[in-house]
Amino acid sequence: MIVKHHKTTKIVLSSLLIMHLLLSIASAAQSKYIEIIVNNISRQQLIELTQHGLIIDHVKQESVTVYIPPEQISILDNMGLNYRILSQNRLKINTDGYPSIDQLKQTLQSFESNYPELCQLFEIGKSYEGRPLYFLKISDHVDIEEDEPEVKYISSMHGDEPVGLILCLNLIDDLLTQYNQDTFITELIDNLEIWIMPLMNPDGYVHHQRFNMQDIDLNRNFPDRVNDNNNTTAGRAVEVQHVMNWEFAHSSVLSVNFHGGTAVVNYPYDSDFNPYARYSATPDDKLFREMALSYANLNPTMRNSSSFESGITNGVEWYLVYGGMQDWSYVWMGCMEVTIELDNEKWPVYSKLSQLWDNNREAMFNYFTWALKGIRGIITDSITGEPIHASIQVEKNDFRVYTDPDVGDYHRILLPGVYNLIVSADGYVTQYLTDVQISDGYASRHDIALRPDLNISVSDIINMIQVLSLSKPVPIQYYDINRDGQLELTDVIWAMHYLVSNL
Ligand code: ZN
């Protein structure tokens, strides 16, 4: 009896100690989550953890990272999982060399002031703790919108994955300094509107944590066709809201979401209606694979990957993510986005960055050229000639790209081949482009004038006749010759006949 009592007390005490330890780790990281490594987990167990709402990250053959609130740790125990809690020491990061938020701001501002004809700095909103979210636009005629595809690179939505932040700054620097020096870079700037956001989660970066300061994982917080089928900003993390609002006001056609923690190019879908799916192919799967390969092939670490065949993976094939940015971009915004994991270390020592830049430089530049392939053009109103907001889709493929309504330009990335395309807009007659030949190289141009759908019914015409003949209204029994209330062309003729004969 005494022994049993003693034992129980001991268990209670040690649980309290563990809880205390976990809470202290969580508070040190300024997040409600603690980082845990789970070993030898099955795909089935992984799905179960996802369904508990835990955040899964970087699934590897032998282990997986799980972010979990300390009070939910019993979920892992109940599942009989073998795990270890990462200590605070592991979470210590060497930030030497990485820019402060002020230094980042100064760097971006100096780009703008040194190259005012090529770049403009936009603050698209503030983080939860009030730090600015910067987007730098680079283009020739940077102050106007042209008939050019908009491409965007966004990095470090996970605050503890800053490799892409540094690479984006290098990329900007090269773009600006090599303009009119390097033919390829000049061509990119002349033909694209390039938008670069080096740091989407400045608060997380400052606090060295994955989450924003609302404790939200930004790459689990976007609309998702499976469990959050609602393309509005309501109730989302502030940083997510700013990016969504920016995208609503633009029509970017190509984008990259840069992360760290492994080296791979991950393409949609990240989620699937069937949680047990092994692969979730978009209708553009072949194209996405080509795009992903084109990046990974130019990156020696990815190309020689032992974890991912050819350095690429389908999102679901790797692990299920609900609310990721890439699926949202593709499903709702007509933008082909991939997620690129840049390095096995999330936050490497700064001296490693020059090697990482060497590994990614060519791939990052080359990837832009996808936006210039496929089919492009301007869609206008056939009567006014004004640009309109329209969508273009390939027959039997639900994915749509949208015109930028200011200019009316559309850009649909396609692999070489022959396609049937559907062009539609509210209030216009849908147009079909059949047997369109797409070759490799620059996009073929098809400008389209859509005819307004006047949509006038017979009864509308009769109403007009009535209005025009106020002095002599036409008795309905005269023109509704079938007396069925259904108005047809012959009814119009009879109504006009009445008016003419009663002049
Ligand atoms: Zn990440």
Side-chain angles (χ1 to χ4, degrees):
M1 198 57 191
I2 291 164
V3 172
K4 195 179 172 191
H5 181 75
H6 176 73
K7 216 175 162 185
T8 314
T9 314
K10 200 175 162 195
I11 288 168
V12 169
L13 274 176
S14 60
S15 299
L16 281 172
L17 274 170
I18 288 170
M19 183 64 84
H20 180 73
L21 174 74
L22 296 182
L23 286 170
S24 67
I25 291 175
S27 69
Q30 305 213 4
S31 164
K32 72 178 179 191
Y33 294 98
I34 49 169
E35 199 175 337
I36 282 179
I37 301 292
V38 181
N39 297 313
N40 303 320
I41 188 167
S42 71
R43 198 174 167 92
Q44 170 74 40
Q45 288 170 319
L46 209 54
I47 291 164
E48 206 175 311
L49 290 183
T50 308
Q51 285 169 341
H52 276 294
L54 305 185
I55 292 170
I56 307 297
D57 191 28
H58 295 139
V59 177
K60 299 189 172 137
Q61 245 154 22
E62 67 289 0
S63 71
V64 51
T65 305
V66 179
Y67 294 88
I68 184 168
E71 63 275 13
Q72 285 186 35
I73 201 122
S74 58
I75 294 174
L76 306 182
D77 295 322
N78 294 342
M79 287 171 65
L81 289 169
N82 166 4
Y83 64 87
R84 80 190 145 86
I85 299 158
L86 287 187
S87 72
Q88 279 171 277
N89 287 341
R90 155 65 181 76
L91 298 170
K92 281 220 177 79
I93 288 163
N94 182 353
T95 60
D96 291 353
Y98 285 89
S100 67
I101 296 292
D102 274 346
Q103 287 167 331
L104 173 65
K105 179 179 172 180
Q106 283 158 17
T107 305
L108 293 171
Q109 284 173 338
S110 72
F111 287 137
E112 187 185 45
S113 54
N114 292 334
Y115 299 92
E117 70 289 359
L118 292 181
C119 76
Q120 267 183 1
L121 185 61
F122 294 87
E123 184 187 317
I124 65 159
K126 291 203 187 310
S127 67
Y128 186 70
E129 286 190 335
R131 297 184 177 88
L133 296 186
Y134 290 118
F135 235 140
L136 191 81
K137 180 187 177 189
I138 301 177
S139 191
D140 64 331
H141 312 113
V142 67
D143 48 343
I144 53 168
E145 277 209 41
E146 297 182 279
D147 169 16
E148 292 175 346
E150 292 182 62
V151 298
K152 68 177 192 289
Y153 283 3
I154 293 184
S155 184
S156 307
M157 56 158 40
H158 290 148
D160 59 347
E161 298 169 14
V163 169
L165 154 64
I166 305 300
L167 299 196
C168 280
L169 293 178
N170 287 357
L171 182 75
I172 295 167
D173 191 56
D174 265 21
L175 280 165
L176 297 175
T177 56
Q178 299 301 306
Y179 184 68
N180 277 342
Q181 310 279 326
D182 178 292
T183 342
F184 177 58
I185 287 176
T186 307
E187 203 176 301
L188 292 178
I189 293 181
D190 284 347
N191 290 296
L192 297 171
E193 288 175 6
I194 300 170
W195 291 82
I196 299 175
M197 179 184 282
L199 181 57
M200 184 177 157
N201 183 1
D203 296 350
Y205 176 66
V206 166
H207 296 286
H208 313 150
Q209 69 172 34
R210 175 183 183 87
F211 305 92
N212 84 339
M213 292 314 282
Q214 296 163 288
D215 243 335
I216 296 172
D217 187 330
L218 302 185
N219 210 32
R220 305 289 186 279
N221 196 237
F222 280 84
D224 190 289
R225 71 200 169 113
V226 174
N227 66 357
D228 185 7
N229 195 358
N230 180 15
N231 193 20
T232 64
T233 57
R236 302 190 192 281
V238 289
E239 295 83 359
V240 168
Q241 293 188 28
H242 294 318
V243 167
M244 286 179 73
N245 283 329
W246 181 89
E247 186 67 43
F248 291 151
H250 294 76
S251 284
S252 65
V253 297
L254 178 79
S255 59
V256 178
N257 176 4
F258 286 109
H259 287 250
T262 187
V264 71
V265 183
N266 173 37
Y267 55 91
Y269 294 115
D270 264 342
S271 78
D272 197 276
F273 292 97
N274 171 11
Y276 302 100
R278 287 289 179 157
Y279 193 104
S280 191
T282 68
D284 288 296
D285 193 55
K286 204 168 166 231
L287 173 57
F288 266 126
R289 286 182 57 85
E290 286 291 320
M291 292 168 76
L293 278 173
S294 77
Y295 192 99
N297 274 337
L298 291 171
N299 178 306
T301 313
M302 295 177 190
R303 190 173 61 224
N304 302 317
S305 170
S306 54
S307 314
F308 300 96
E309 199 185 331
S310 308
I312 67 168
T313 184
N314 170 256
V316 166
E317 185 183 27
W318 189 14
Y319 63 100
L320 204 63
V321 166
Y322 297 114
M325 187 161 74
Q326 70 175 11
D327 282 12
W328 168 74
S329 289
Y330 181 73
V331 172
W332 277 282
M333 305 313 297
C335 178
M336 304 213 53
E337 178 165 313
V338 295
T339 305
I340 299 183
E341 304 278 352
L342 287 162
D343 186 48
N344 289 322
E345 276 184 278
K346 287 190 177 190
W347 199 313
V349 289
Y350 195 77
S351 56
K352 200 177 163 187
L353 265 300
S354 70
Q355 178 63 43
L356 286 170
W357 174 234
D358 285 346
N359 281 358
N360 286 283
R361 184 183 184 279
E362 203 186 342
M364 285 173 92
F365 277 110
N366 181 66
Y367 199 76
F368 283 132
T369 61
W370 280 104
L372 297 168
K373 293 174 190 290
I375 182 170
R376 69 185 295 184
I378 289 184
I379 303 182
T380 50
D381 178 305
S382 67
I383 294 170
T384 64
E386 291 294 315
I388 54 178
H389 181 62
S391 75
I392 299 88
Q393 68 185 107
V394 173
E395 195 181 46
K396 294 178 187 148
N397 177 335
D398 286 338
F399 176 66
R400 287 161 185 252
V401 298
Y402 301 90
T403 56
D404 190 320
D406 298 328
V407 181
D409 57 322
Y410 73 90
H411 308 268
R412 178 30 160 133
I413 305 169
L414 288 169
L415 290 172
V418 179
Y419 296 87
N420 294 333
L421 296 149
I422 304 163
V423 185
S424 49
D426 277 351
Y428 291 85
V429 178
T430 298
Q431 219 179 91
Y432 299 86
L433 305 179
T434 50
D435 299 330
V436 178
Q437 187 88 40
I438 304 293
S439 49
D440 207 1
Y442 277 116
S444 53
R445 176 177 285 280
H446 291 258
D447 293 338
I448 296 148
L450 285 186
R451 194 158 50 81
D453 184 357
L454 295 175
N455 201 17
I456 293 178
S457 66
V458 169
S459 61
D460 290 336
I461 297 173
I462 289 176
N463 280 338
M464 283 194 287
I465 292 172
Q466 299 280 23
V467 170
L468 291 171
S469 59
L470 278 177
S471 56
K472 280 190 178 45
V474 186
I476 188 163
Q477 62 272 26
Y478 188 84
Y479 60 82
D480 185 8
I481 52 172
N482 295 323
R483 303 285 192 272
D484 59 357
Q486 299 286 315
L487 302 180
E488 289 148 18
L489 193 57
T490 43
D491 298 316
V492 175
I493 294 165
W494 279 104
M496 290 172 72
H497 178 257
Y498 177 88
L499 280 173
V500 171
S501 53
N502 286 282
L503 272 177

